[in-house]
Amino acid sequence: MNMNATLSIEAEPYTFELVPARCALLIIDMQRDFLEPGGFGEMLGNDVSQLRQAIEPNKKLLEAWRAAGLQVLHTREGHRPDLADLPPAKKVRGHGATTIGDTGPMGRILIRGEAGHDIIPELYPLPGEPVIDKPGKGAFFATDLHAILQNLGITQLVVTGVTTEVCVNTTVREANDRGYECLVPEDCVASYFPIFQEMGLKMIKAQGGIFGWVTGSSKIIPALA
Ligand code: TIU
């Protein structure tokens, strides 16, 4: 593939002109804590099965992306074992019986190094694919993501992962303000709430693409072949 030849991807609100050399796949927080029972997502009162429908589309997109030789990055939401980077307001939010840092079936909830904090096996990073550990919902807050993307010459992001209205939306907004063009394949993002899935995507593409573009993985994968 000519890495500098533009791939025109059918999207809303209009065609996304993807330049392979400058475009990275950024997979947000596909962690056991959000996608498997017994983790942070379930602790918040959510039905984690809602998110699992994004796994297979992400797997197919990731395989095609890797095969085409494009850049991949992963993020994980979580905190230091000593909780020094955990805002007290985040620790107590929701008044749950168990909160971040407490021990659950997959280890301490949302803590780096614990089983639940790691990325699900289906989408596990390969050596050489940067993994960004983030303490917040946005992937740019208190991380080295922007510096890494600049060093790689990346100006466009295909953003996937969970959840659509929380970490994906926050990250797309942060990226947009930093000058990145963001394309979101709707089948590769998921929410615990169907209405937030729908509205989270509408918010991105409304007003002429106020934060970015929305498409489906079936529009991206053939273009990479
Ligand atoms: N709760 C929820 O929907 N999401 C998060 O807490 N983090 C992410 O979205 N990754």
Side-chain angles (χ1 to χ4, degrees):
M1 164 185 304
N2 178 351
M3 296 296 272
N4 290 301
T6 300
L7 307 174
S8 295
I9 310 292
E10 192 186 329
E12 290 182 286
Y14 54 88
T15 304
F16 186 86
E17 303 294 350
L18 190 157
V19 183
R22 293 203 268 117
C23 188
L25 175 61
L26 181 65
I27 306 179
I28 303 291
D29 300 358
M30 290 296 279
Q31 296 162 256
R32 300 183 65 199
D33 257 324
F34 293 105
L35 291 139
E36 294 183 11
F40 182 63
E42 195 173 77
M43 189 201 80
L44 294 172
N46 298 306
D47 169 13
V48 295
S49 68
Q50 286 287 331
L51 300 194
R52 299 193 62 82
Q53 55 199 332
I55 296 175
E56 207 47 43
N58 263 288
K59 212 175 147 198
K60 292 205 176 85
L61 179 60
L62 178 59
E63 277 164 12
W65 202 267
R66 282 172 173 161
L70 277 64
Q71 184 68 47
V72 180
L73 301 98
H74 307 257
T75 72
R76 299 185 297 200
E77 180 179 350
H79 295 277
R80 295 161 48 104
D82 64 7
L83 307 184
D85 63 350
L86 175 61
K90 186 176 180 183
K91 167 76 178 161
V92 301
R93 189 70 50 83
H95 295 153
T98 46
T99 64
I100 298 167
D102 294 345
T103 301
M106 293 190 287
R108 293 179 68 202
I109 291 166
L110 228 58
I111 299 299
R112 294 176 191 160
E114 302 288 336
H117 174 264
D118 211 352
I119 292 171
I120 57 169
E122 295 92 329
L123 301 173
Y124 211 75
L126 290 179
E129 294 176 354
V131 178
I132 310 295
D133 277 322
K134 62 189 195 46
K137 304 307 182 194
F140 289 85
F141 170 69
T143 72
D144 48 12
L145 176 59
H146 189 45
I148 291 173
L149 294 175
Q150 285 184 314
N151 292 340
L152 292 167
I154 298 295
T155 62
Q156 301 180 322
L157 298 170
V158 170
V159 185
T160 74
V162 296
T163 61
T164 309
E165 78 280 16
V166 182
C167 292
V168 172
N169 237 278
T170 306
T171 298
V172 167
R173 290 166 191 234
E174 287 183 327
N176 182 62
D177 278 347
R178 285 164 177 79
Y180 296 93
E181 295 175 310
C182 296
L183 176 64
V184 180
E186 57 191 357
D187 53 325
C188 296
V189 296
S191 169
Y192 299 114
F193 307 93
I195 187 75
F196 291 165
Q197 170 75 4
E198 185 191 343
M199 294 304 160
L201 291 163
K202 279 190 173 162
M203 285 177 193
I204 291 167
K205 68 187 178 189
Q207 303 183 60
I210 195 80
F211 300 127
W213 287 255
V214 174
T215 188
S217 64
S218 66
K219 306 280 193 246
I220 302 174
I221 291 170
L224 298 170

